[in-house]
Amino acid sequence: MISIKDLSKVFHTKDQDVTAVDHLDLNIEAGEIYGVIGYSGAGKSTFIRLLNRLENPTGGSITIDGQEITSLSKNKLRLARQEIGMIFQHFNLLWSRTVRDNIAFPLEIAGVPKEKRQARVMELIELVGLKGRENAYPSQLSGGQKQRVGIARALANNPKVLLCDEATSALDPETTDSILDLLVDINEKLGLTIIMITHEMHVIRKICHRVAVMENGKVVEEGEVLNVFLHPEQAVTKKFVDQVMGDPDQEYSLALIHERYRSGKVLRLHFVGESTNQALISELSRKFKLDLNILHGKITQTQKGAYGTLFVHVEGDHDEIEKAKTYIKQTSVEVEVIPNVQ
């Protein structure tokens, strides 16, 4: 659906050249919700503006549904943009227009006849859950309602791709979840390809199928969300995963573990999918002569299934601990020994 090859963007200033996107390669499948996460300055917002040519690339190519948009003329680009919807962090609504008229605006620009325009607007109002608010002005809406207007407006021309630039970062957690649920619903009903730009791992965890982690203009890690949660490779990725799972080094520091548990071992258990329902700890206590103490744990849900971590202090004979580790490995639960704890 979307093929990005060797994409670069360099901003030229008086004093220096700033590389915002650095030789980036990505492939995004049709109908998936794809997340791009990074801290401020990582290049993710520049990247999304390159996708609809709000910024022109310095080098590389972007092909969407077989059409290379990086080489299009202005007139052809205007038509191509009708198939690429975009929603923004701060809504970008026309404050002098009602909900109905905001949603109708891109249809007016596209020259859609009034009768068809009105029918499409009411269809979208129903889709995003704003029935009864069509005559309200943006100043009369909550943040979540404003973003629903933004989503409806972005969908007006039946786009194939929806770009979301920090679409929930101005919203409270409850409203964020409702908007994310709406985007999942739209993705499933319309088969729309959605690209989410965010700095919040909660957003990635909740709705994305795959994720790319950006740092200094590059994609430093990419994969299915569940796999990235399970096996984050880069330091920046581990920080993002800790946003959702909690950082055990902070909540239950290794120094404190070392002080309190001078013998035995501390194990980190990774549960995936159905394994999160296993009564593993009680099984270990029955099968092996061990004392088990749960230190810290959390389970979260991704689009591809549940994922959890559990920190357990295990006290007992060395051979018995090794047998328990072997037993755990024979299940679908992954186990690792926390370092620096003797």
Side-chain angles (χ1 to χ4, degrees), residues 39 213 215 220-221 232-242:
Y39 290 110
V213 182
E215 188 175 31
V220 296
E221 192 161 351
E233 296 178 358
Q234 302 296 322
V236 64
T237 312
K238 292 175 183 177
K239 288 181 182 178
F240 281 124
V241 171
D242 287 342

Side-chain angles (χ1 to χ4, degrees), residues 2-14:
I2 301 176
S3 176
I4 299 156
K5 294 182 179 178
D6 202 30
L7 187 65
S8 297
K9 178 62 181 180
V10 179
F11 292 99
H12 302 285
T13 67
K14 277 186 176 180

Side-chain angles (χ1 to χ4, degrees), residues 301-334:
Q301 191 73 31
T302 74
Q303 283 286 333
K304 289 294 182 74
Y307 161 64
T309 57
L310 189 66
F311 290 80
V312 181
H313 175 251
V314 182
E315 186 77 49
D317 181 77
H318 173 78
D319 289 342
E320 202 72 0
I321 293 175
E322 290 303 309
K323 288 178 185 176
K325 285 169 56 184
T326 300
Y327 174 78
I328 294 169
K329 290 175 182 178
Q330 289 171 350
T331 72
S332 56
V333 177
E334 296 182 20

Side-chain angles (χ1 to χ4, degrees), residues 88-91 143 147 166-172 176 200:
F88 304 87
Q89 178 180 358
H90 297 296
F91 322 125
Q147 195 56 285
E166 299 281 8
T168 60
S169 61
L171 305 174
D172 62 75
T176 290
E200 299 172 299

Side-chain angles (χ1 to χ4, degrees), residues 15-125:
D15 301 322
Q16 61 180 336
D17 291 343
V18 178
T19 302
V21 175
D22 191 359
H23 300 285
L24 189 147
D25 293 293
L26 279 181
N27 286 293
I28 299 170
E29 300 298 328
E32 75 174 328
I33 304 178
Y34 192 94
V36 179
I37 192 167
Y39 290 110
S40 295
K44 58 190 187 298
S45 288
T46 301
F47 165 68
I48 203 170
R49 289 171 63 84
L50 289 169
L51 289 181
N52 60 2
R53 292 255 321 257
L54 288 176
E55 294 283 355
N56 287 316
T58 305
S61 66
I62 301 167
T63 303
I64 299 178
D65 198 25
Q67 184 176 49
E68 187 182 337
I69 68 162
T70 39
S71 61
L72 293 180
S73 65
K74 286 186 178 180
N75 286 337
K76 289 184 178 179
L77 178 61
R78 181 175 58 82
L79 293 174
R81 279 179 177 155
Q82 292 181 10
E83 297 188 339
I84 307 171
M86 189 164 184
I87 58 176
F88 304 87
Q89 178 180 358
H90 297 296
F91 322 125
N92 287 14
L93 301 181
L94 299 168
W95 295 88
S96 61
R97 284 178 168 244
T98 63
V99 167
R100 187 197 310 271
D101 292 338
N102 263 284
I103 298 170
F105 186 60
L107 296 171
E108 293 174 24
I109 294 174
V112 175
K114 185 175 181 181
E115 190 173 320
K116 286 185 68 176
R117 196 163 67 222
Q118 290 177 340
R120 177 62 176 159
V121 168
M122 292 311 299
E123 182 184 316
L124 289 165
I125 285 173

Side-chain angles (χ1 to χ4, degrees), residues 221-233 272 302 304:
E221 192 161 351
E222 185 199 13
E224 290 190 355
V225 170
L226 184 56
N227 290 337
V228 170
F229 265 82
L230 277 171
H231 305 291
E233 296 178 358
V272 185
T302 74
K304 289 294 182 74

